Amino acid sequence: MTRSIHVVAIGGGGGASQVLRAAQSFASRLTAVIAVTDTGRSTGLARAIGGIPAPGDLRATIANFATDPLIARLLQHRFSGAGVPQLEGMAFGNLLIAALAEVQGGFGAAVRTAAELAGCAAEVLPVSDANTDICAELEGGALVRGEVHVRGLGKPPIRRLFLREAAPANPAALEAIRRADLVVLGPGSLFTSILADLLFDGMAEALRAARGQVVFVCNTTTQPGQTDGYATADHVRRVAEALGPGALDAALINQGTVDAQRQARLAADGLLVLAPSAAELAAIAALDVRPVVRDFGEPSGVQRVLWNKQDTLRHDTAALAAALRELIA
């Protein structure tokens, strides 16, 4: 393509990075708008130390697009905790962002400086500079507070998601969304990454006003504690409802074959592979959302070792790139 293309990816560190990697083949400008309400182990401790929003997904995204390999390794380096058990698993990049926030007097400035140090090939923006938490009302009326509890296992389904205190979205993120040629939500944790980002004031309005197409990359599996029992259409419906009528243009939906051994491995971790039926696809189309159905699944391979998270069936970058390029065209 000859014209300049700007792609914005919204979500957590893993999903947004994968979308932007796919978009690198045709886009000249890449922007990640990243969740800030994580309260996990390393990120939660960094939040407490620095009094900041969650730095973990931002750190990972910066490292993924760092042009300086040493800085990328440093950002992702995790301490062993030898002698200081509280630091076991702490990512150095989380501490760096917390320190920069204190030195520079702001979280947004800290993230920008970390990205500059890494020579980041993408613009990485926190969805908000507000230090707040997500909360959920569960079926039956119980309330839970904090990302760890919102995604906790063995609880009733999530009925409603909200912020502990209302907070504005990052103005730079809103402007990027409104002016982008393509805005992509997901893949990633439906409630604690994607829908959490949409809770900040101005996000849904910016997506409704976006001049480019707004696309949701639907997850390939359910996620324990968040989407147990969900079908593909349930994922799309939740996002469409959060954005409002007519805002979501398309949903990229995986419909590939997954071998029995891999399905069994995923099921052992509570992740069930989503296989949308014709009726589900019709229900998605009835939401005025175009279903783009393909085999988006990554080739079979070895199981990855992740920090304190489940491995899942990821999207194939080349297949994702082809679909996003077609949506732009």
Side-chain angles (χ1 to χ4, degrees):
M1 293 184 182
T2 56
R3 70 186 181 97
S4 175
I5 300 294
H6 180 197
V7 175
V8 172
I10 300 173
S17 291
Q18 189 171 34
V19 166
L20 294 186
R21 282 198 202 99
Q24 276 183 311
S25 62
F26 62 87
S28 57
R29 182 182 172 192
L30 307 172
T31 300
V33 176
I34 301 297
V36 294
T37 50
D38 188 7
T39 53
R41 194 166 161 193
S42 171
T43 289
L45 182 56
R47 291 187 71 176
I49 290 170
I52 56 173
D57 282 345
L58 290 152
R59 176 211 81 238
T61 307
I62 292 169
N64 284 335
F65 290 93
T67 57
D68 186 320
L70 177 58
I71 297 297
R73 287 176 57 197
L74 282 172
L75 289 172
Q76 297 290 66
H77 175 74
R78 292 187 182 271
F79 293 99
S80 67
V84 187
Q86 297 93 326
L87 288 181
E88 180 186 357
M90 168 60 73
F92 170 76
N94 290 349
L95 293 179
L96 175 64
I97 292 173
L100 286 170
E102 287 192 359
V103 170
Q104 297 186 300
F107 184 67
V111 173
R112 284 194 300 275
T113 300
E116 289 168 3
L117 289 171
C120 195
E123 180 183 28
V124 180
L125 301 172
V127 67
S128 176
D129 290 351
N131 186 16
T132 188
D133 293 308
I134 52 170
C135 306
E137 179 188 0
L138 308 179
E139 295 294 340
L143 300 178
V144 291
R145 171 179 165 178
E147 181 262 350
V148 168
H149 300 292
V150 170
R151 63 175 168 83
L153 304 178
K155 67 180 187 309
I158 298 168
R159 176 188 293 169
R160 180 175 64 93
L161 200 66
F162 58 98
L163 292 177
R164 187 187 70 220
E165 300 101 5
N170 181 351
L174 299 180
E175 182 66 10
I177 289 166
R178 286 190 290 260
R179 298 180 64 83
D181 298 286
L182 181 68
V183 183
V184 185
L185 299 107
S189 299
L190 181 64
F191 285 94
T192 57
S193 289
I194 300 163
L195 295 179
D197 281 348
L198 303 183
L199 293 175
F200 289 92
D201 292 346
M203 282 293 289
E205 292 82 358
L207 285 155
R208 288 196 291 269
R211 70 180 184 90
Q213 289 199 69
V214 177
V215 181
F216 171 49
V217 181
C218 188
N219 291 347
T220 57
T221 69
T222 59
Q223 185 174 10
Q226 297 197 51
T227 56
D228 302 285
Y230 268 44
T232 300
D234 298 317
H235 287 75
V236 178
R237 185 178 298 108
R238 278 283 194 173
V239 175
E241 288 174 350
L243 295 181
L248 185 61
D249 296 300
L252 272 54
I253 296 167
N254 179 56
Q255 200 173 54
T257 301
V258 182
D259 64 80
Q261 183 179 7
R262 197 172 201 191
Q263 287 202 49
R265 175 177 64 77
L266 292 166
D269 283 335
L271 292 87
L272 301 182
V273 176
L274 295 171
S277 64
E280 278 190 77
L281 298 178
I284 292 168
L287 296 170
D288 200 23
V289 177
R290 174 190 168 200
V292 179
V293 185
R294 294 184 188 173
D295 183 353
F296 286 110
E298 64 181 350
S300 296
V302 297
Q303 184 174 359
R304 288 171 291 263
V305 178
L306 306 179
W307 170 254
N308 204 30
K309 290 184 179 180
Q310 295 154 315
D311 190 18
T312 187
L313 177 63
R314 298 188 186 183
H315 290 73
D316 178 70
T317 301
L320 194 57
L324 295 176
R325 186 186 294 110
E326 289 172 18
L327 288 168
I328 284 282

